[in-house]
Amino acid sequence: MVSAADILGAVDEQQVRFVALWFTDITGLVKSVMIPAGELENVFANGSHFDGSAIEGFARVAESDMVLVPDESSFVVLPWTVGAEKTARLICSIHTQNGDPFIGDPRSLLIKALDAARALNFRFKTGMELEFFLFPLDSAGSPLVSANNDIAGYFDIPDDPIRSMRRHMLAALDALGIRVDSTHSETGSGQHEIDFQYDDALRSADNILTARIALKTIASKFHYYCAFMPRPHVDLPGSGMHTHQSMHDAASGINLFADSDGEYGLSETAKYFLAGQLEHARAMCAVLAPLVNSYKRLGTSFEAPVNVTWAHVNRSALIRVPSTAPDKDYHTRLELRCPDPTANPYLAMTVMLQAGLDGILHKMPLTDPMEETLTGGMPERMRQIEILPHSLDEALDALSNDDVILSALGPYVSDRYIAAKRQECDEYNRQVTEWEVKRYLNRF
C-alpha cells in the first residue's frame, strides 16, 4: 500500500518538479491541474480546489467549487518528462467542499459500483484490446489519414519508424506500471492493437485513461498522430476496444465464471451475467460506443458486431466466449465487442458491471448461442434477434428507456450525459457533407 509519505519521498529522491492531477469529465476527456511538487503535501492533506463550472456535466456556477482528491496508488513519473520538466501524475477522484464524493464524477461512480458488488462478494476484473491508427503528420501538424504509408497487414511486421515507435510505446507503458500482453498490426493500413493484461476494473479504467495519453505523446515525438476515433475513414476498418470480463469471489479470488463441467466452461453465474448484458446491450451502447462516428463502425466495419447475440466462434457476435485450456479455468471470461476506444472507461465499466449484476440478481435465462454455422438456415430465429442501435440517437433512446443503466449512471450523470450527446447528434445532423454536395448538387 503506497502512502502519501512514500510518494513525497519518491518525489524528493527522483527530483520531480511538477505533479499533474488528472481527472475526466463525463464524456471521458482527460482534464489536468498542474502543481509544483512542493505543493503536493498540502494537496494530500487538503485536496486541490478548482472551479468545476466549466467542465462538461459537472456543476452550475452556483455550486462550482470542487476538490481533487488524489489516489496514492496511481502515482507514476511520466517517462517522457526529464530534467527540469520531470513530472509525476496522480489520478484523482472529485469531492464536494464538504468532503463527499461528487455524484458527477465518473471515477467515483465506478468506485461506488465496485463497492456495491464487493458487498455481494463479487470482484469485477477486465482486460481490454485497444485498437488505434497511427497517421503521419503533414508540415502543418495535421494527420494524413489517407497517407497509406504503413501497409503492414494483420500480424505483419511493420517498417520503421512504426516498429521503433511501438517499442517506445511499450517501454512507456511499462514505465507507467501498465502491463501489456502483446501488440500487433491490425487489418487496416496504419492500424494497431495493444492487449492489456487482466486487472481489477478500476485499475483497468485508470490504465486506459493513461494509455491514451501515453500513446498520443509517444506518437507525436515520431511526428505521428495516434487516433482513437472509431472510424476515421470510409476505406479503413473501425477501431474497437473489446473488453474481456469476469467475476471473482471477493475473498478468495476464485473465478466465478468458470465451470469445467458447464457448456462452454461457463458457470450459472457467468450465464446470468451474460444474459444481463444482452438484455441491456442496446442501452449500454450509448456509453460504450459514445460518438456519432461510433455507428460508422458498429454493424458496418469488419467483424464489428451487429446482432445482440453471443457465441463461441462467431466473431460477429456481440459477446464471445473465448476458448480456455482445460487446466486454466481462471481464464474463463466473456468478451464484449461493442465498446470503442472513445468510451469513458469509468462509465463503461460501471454500466457493464451493473448490466451483468442485474442478470445475476434476477437469474435471467440465457438464449441459445448464435454460431456462424447456424445462421444460414434460421430466418425465424434471425427475425427474433435484436439489433444494436444504428445511430447514437437510437442508442440514446434505448438508454433513456432502460431503468437499470440509468440507475447505474445515476440521475445527475445520466441527465447531463444524454443532454451532451443529444447536442452532439443535433450538431451532426445540421452538417452538409461533401457526399451530399457531390450526390445532389448537380442532380436537382
Side-chain angles (χ1 to χ4, degrees):
M1 195 75 166
V2 180
S3 68
D6 294 332
I7 293 172
L8 292 171
V11 166
D12 185 56
E13 179 183 343
Q14 298 183 48
Q15 297 183 313
V16 172
R17 299 291 302 276
F18 307 98
V19 179
L21 306 176
W22 287 3
F23 61 103
T24 75
D25 65 12
I26 63 168
T27 66
L29 294 178
V30 179
K31 306 296 181 179
S32 180
V33 173
M34 185 80 75
I35 62 170
E39 288 296 308
L40 184 56
E41 185 172 8
N42 178 56
V43 169
F44 279 134
N46 303 301
S48 177
H49 295 243
F50 75 104
D51 180 2
S53 62
I55 305 298
E56 183 74 71
F58 268 25
R60 298 184 298 272
V61 173
E63 52 186 33
S64 61
D65 291 331
M66 302 286 177
V67 181
L68 294 175
V69 178
D71 181 343
E72 289 94 339
S73 69
S74 69
F75 175 82
V76 290
V77 176
L78 300 177
W80 51 84
T81 63
V82 294
E85 295 184 356
K86 184 175 274 193
T87 304
R89 187 286 318 267
L90 283 160
I91 297 177
C92 299
S93 294
I94 301 164
H95 287 206
T96 61
Q97 288 284 350
N98 61 12
D100 296 326
F102 173 47
I103 58 175
D105 174 30
R107 193 171 190 269
S108 294
L109 202 64
L110 175 57
I111 291 171
K112 181 181 176 182
L114 293 170
D115 287 345
R118 190 171 289 272
L120 298 171
N121 200 35
F122 292 125
R123 178 182 173 190
F124 187 43
K125 300 185 74 172
T126 56
M128 275 71 74
E129 302 172 2
L130 185 67
E131 295 178 337
F132 54 92
F133 281 90
L134 294 173
F135 298 125
L137 299 175
D138 64 16
S139 57
S142 298
L144 295 168
V145 177
S146 301
N148 201 33
N149 67 318
D150 175 10
I151 59 172
Y154 194 48
F155 278 95
D156 286 347
I157 300 174
D159 295 331
D160 274 332
I162 303 298
R163 201 164 56 227
S164 178
M165 193 189 323
R166 289 205 320 209
R167 286 194 291 263
H168 278 77
M169 287 175 168
L170 293 185
L173 293 174
D174 182 64
L176 290 164
I178 299 175
R179 298 177 300 162
V180 169
D181 274 332
S182 62
T183 183
H184 60 83
S185 297
E186 262 292 339
T187 55
S189 175
Q191 190 179 32
H192 305 268
E193 176 177 306
I194 294 179
D195 298 340
F196 296 92
Q197 288 189 15
Y198 231 55
D199 217 322
D200 289 307
L202 180 62
R203 184 167 178 83
S204 289
D206 285 344
N207 286 347
I208 288 296
L209 180 84
T210 304
R212 292 191 304 208
I213 298 295
L215 299 184
K216 283 183 176 292
T217 301
I218 299 303
S220 69
K221 294 183 180 300
F222 282 80
H223 207 60
Y224 271 71
Y225 184 77
C226 179
F228 297 108
M229 185 177 177
R231 192 78 184 273
H233 195 282
V234 67
D235 295 328
L236 295 172
S239 290
M241 188 175 67
H242 297 172
T243 301
H244 297 257
Q245 320 159 81
S246 55
M247 283 288 221
H248 297 251
D249 183 278
S252 67
I254 292 173
N255 188 343
L256 299 176
F257 278 7
D259 181 355
S260 56
D261 296 325
E263 187 178 15
Y264 296 105
L266 296 179
S267 67
E268 288 301 307
T269 298
K271 292 175 183 176
Y272 294 145
F273 188 98
L274 174 48
Q277 289 202 329
L278 293 175
E279 174 70 19
H280 301 291
R282 286 174 52 80
M284 285 199 300
C285 272
V287 176
L288 304 180
L291 307 184
V292 167
N293 182 255
S294 298
Y295 299 85
K296 304 293 175 70
R297 167 188 170 254
L298 285 183
T300 60
S301 181
F302 177 68
E303 284 194 349
V306 182
N307 301 313
V308 182
T309 59
W310 71 282
H312 177 55
V313 297
N314 184 353
R315 290 185 175 271
S316 66
L318 174 63
I319 300 177
R320 194 173 71 89
V321 182
S323 300
T324 56
D327 60 339
K328 294 185 177 180
D329 284 355
Y330 56 87
H331 281 160
T332 301
R333 63 203 187 276
L334 302 175
E335 179 190 7
L336 183 63
R337 300 171 64 80
C338 64
D340 70 50
T342 61
N344 182 321
Y346 303 111
L347 296 186
M349 301 290 176
T350 299
V351 300
M352 285 189 282
L353 172 59
Q354 294 297 79
L357 277 177
D358 189 52
I360 292 174
L361 295 174
H362 292 93
K363 296 183 188 264
M364 288 184 183
L366 181 61
T367 58
D368 292 333
M370 180 63 73
E371 302 290 4
E372 289 172 328
T373 54
L374 301 179
T375 57
M378 301 182 67
E380 183 62 32
R381 172 80 192 279
M382 291 300 292
R383 281 195 293 269
Q384 296 171 359
I385 292 174
E386 279 195 308
I387 306 296
L388 291 176
H390 291 95
S391 67
L392 180 57
D393 258 327
E394 188 179 336
L396 291 170
D397 288 341
L399 173 59
S400 299
N401 290 293
D402 191 310
D403 290 340
V404 169
I405 304 303
L406 288 174
S407 177
L409 298 173
Y412 191 100
V413 169
S414 61
D415 287 351
R416 286 156 180 77
Y417 184 87
I418 290 172
K421 291 300 172 180
R422 290 289 190 197
Q423 182 179 6
E424 182 178 334
C425 292
D426 290 344
E427 290 178 6
Y428 173 74
N429 290 333
R430 288 196 297 269
Q431 301 306 308
V432 177
T433 66
E434 183 180 353
W435 182 91
E436 291 171 279
V437 173
K438 288 182 177 179
R439 178 86 172 184
Y440 303 127
L441 187 64
N442 292 326
R443 288 190 177 191
F444 301 98

